[in-house]
Amino acid sequence: MKALQCVELGGPDKLQINEIEAPEVIPGHVVVDVKSGSINFPDVLMIQGLYQFQPPMPFTPGGESAGIVSEVGEGVSKFKVGDKVFAMTGVGAFAEKILAAEASCMAIPDSMDFDSAAALSMTYGTSLYALKQRANLQPGETLLVLGASGGVGLATIELGKAMGAKVIAAASTQDKIDMCMAHGADEGFIYPSGDLDRDQQKELSNKIKELTGGLGANVVYDPVGDSYSEPCLRATAWEGRYLVIGFAAGQIPKIPLNITLLKGCQIVGVFWGAWVGQFPDENKKNFDELFSLHAAGKINPEVSQKYSLADSADAFTHLANRKAKGKVIINM
Ligand SMILES: NC(=O)c1ccc[n+]([C@@H]2O[C@H](COP(=O)([O-])OP(=O)(O)OC[C@H]3O[C@@H](n4cnc5c(N)ncnc54)[C@H](OP(=O)(O)O)[C@@H]3O)[C@@H](O)[C@H]2O)c1
């Protein structure tokens, strides 16, 4: 079968399309004929050796995929050949077939096509866990979303609205803000791209305070990090929750702890994958909620760009260059 392979750590130019052995089914697993895989920022980090989990070399990148079960291993009870599933495997998605543990798969509801299913799991899974279990977001609260037109960003806007929050979207260009508004954001503003200096950081804090009537945001969702984090923490409300999602801008910021004292606020870590491993039943309940929201038209994964497997390295370049909006899909 054909698969994208990382044979040497580095940028997307190091990725290769290779002919490799198709996986053989083993007990407790299914083989899925992959139709769609979706790319996430962690995939870009993993091919460079910069992610917290690193598979042995060579490996096929891609954390999530959707397709049709073609083989069923001994002991599998939830799936049969021909079932439509999505698989959250962490790696291996950008290939014609994938071997997936039964526990890593879920049935695709009738309301969803393969692209939407592949686009939904990591972004909406992360964001619902972040807003519900970690931030305890309440109706009427203000939610600030950084990198708001990206994969997890757009998912957070839609979920924040579905949970009754007032959502403020922050992103680096007007067309990104336009997309956020189309997905339900109440307010949107452009922040500068690049390393923010002191004045730009102050401006960012002031802008958030202005949009929240001087009170600050109750919940901040931050997948960007770097020089964006401190000014946003300074613009949280009293007893606010600051969600640490990721560091797409590069550096992991160091934060003066006195800010949390002055605001009575919390800095809350979010690691969805680790939580899923420890609490699979809670995650299943979250996904039942996501499927209901999708069927009701309240969430709608935005697939902005599609690549073929042959061109899949270009999808990595697109994401890494801050060009992606919503989700980027690779079709096998
Ligand atoms: N904690 C978890 O469980 C979890 C789960 C999934 C993802 N994540 C993390 O969430 C972050 C976003 O992931 P994603 O898949 O949504 O990525 P994405 O679609 O590429 O979105 C990232 C956003 O970050 C902003 N950004 C700022 N500086 C950037 C830079 N130098 N390069 C690229 N983007 C930059 C961009 O928006 P602007 O141009 O508008 O600034 C972009 O839209 C990543 O750090 C990822 O590791 C965490």
Side-chain angles (χ1 to χ4, degrees), residues 9 40-55 59 90-91 122 245 271-274:
L9 294 179
N40 293 285
F41 208 83
D43 302 323
V44 176
L45 298 176
M46 209 181 278
I47 63 166
Q48 301 172 78
L50 299 175
Y51 195 55
Q52 56 250 42
F53 154 73
Q54 208 54 43
F59 69 93
V91 281
M122 188 179 282
I245 306 295
F271 188 178
W272 175 64

Side-chain angles (χ1 to χ4, degrees), residues 41 126 150-152 171-172 176 191 223 245-249 270 272 319 322:
F41 208 83
T126 299
V152 294
S172 60
K176 288 182 170 186
Y191 51 47
I245 306 295
F247 313 101
V270 177
W272 175 64
L319 208 80
R322 209 171 176 169

Side-chain angles (χ1 to χ4, degrees), residues 107-128:
I108 299 177
D110 292 339
S111 63
M112 240 178 248
D113 59 22
F114 289 120
D115 287 351
S116 303
L120 177 118
S121 51
M122 188 179 282
T123 50
Y124 287 82
T126 299
S127 296
L128 183 57

Side-chain angles (χ1 to χ4, degrees), residues 31-45:
V31 172
V32 178
D33 289 356
V34 180
K35 300 292 178 195
S36 310
S38 94
I39 181 165
N40 293 285
F41 208 83
D43 302 323
V44 176
L45 298 176

Side-chain angles (χ1 to χ4, degrees), residues 135 141 215 217-219 236-242 260-266:
E141 286 193 318
L215 296 173
N218 300 108
V219 174
T236 50
W238 175 249
E239 293 190 346
R241 286 85 74 206
Y242 191 98
T260 62
L261 182 153
L262 293 170
K263 301 204 158 277
C265 70
Q266 302 169 49

Side-chain angles (χ1 to χ4, degrees), residues 275-328:
W275 178 73
V276 173
Q278 292 177 65
F279 302 99
D281 295 342
E282 292 302 303
N283 183 52
K284 171 78 177 56
K285 282 188 215 154
N286 272 12
F287 269 78
D288 288 343
E289 198 173 326
L290 290 175
F291 296 152
S292 301
L293 288 169
H294 186 264
K298 292 193 172 170
I299 60 171
N300 184 18
E302 169 88 34
V303 175
S304 63
Q305 201 116 3
K306 297 186 192 190
Y307 291 84
S308 65
L309 181 58
D311 295 330
S312 51
D314 295 343
F316 282 75
T317 308
H318 190 65
L319 208 80
N321 288 348
R322 209 171 176 169
K323 294 272 190 295
K325 291 194 287 257
K327 292 296 297 182
V328 176

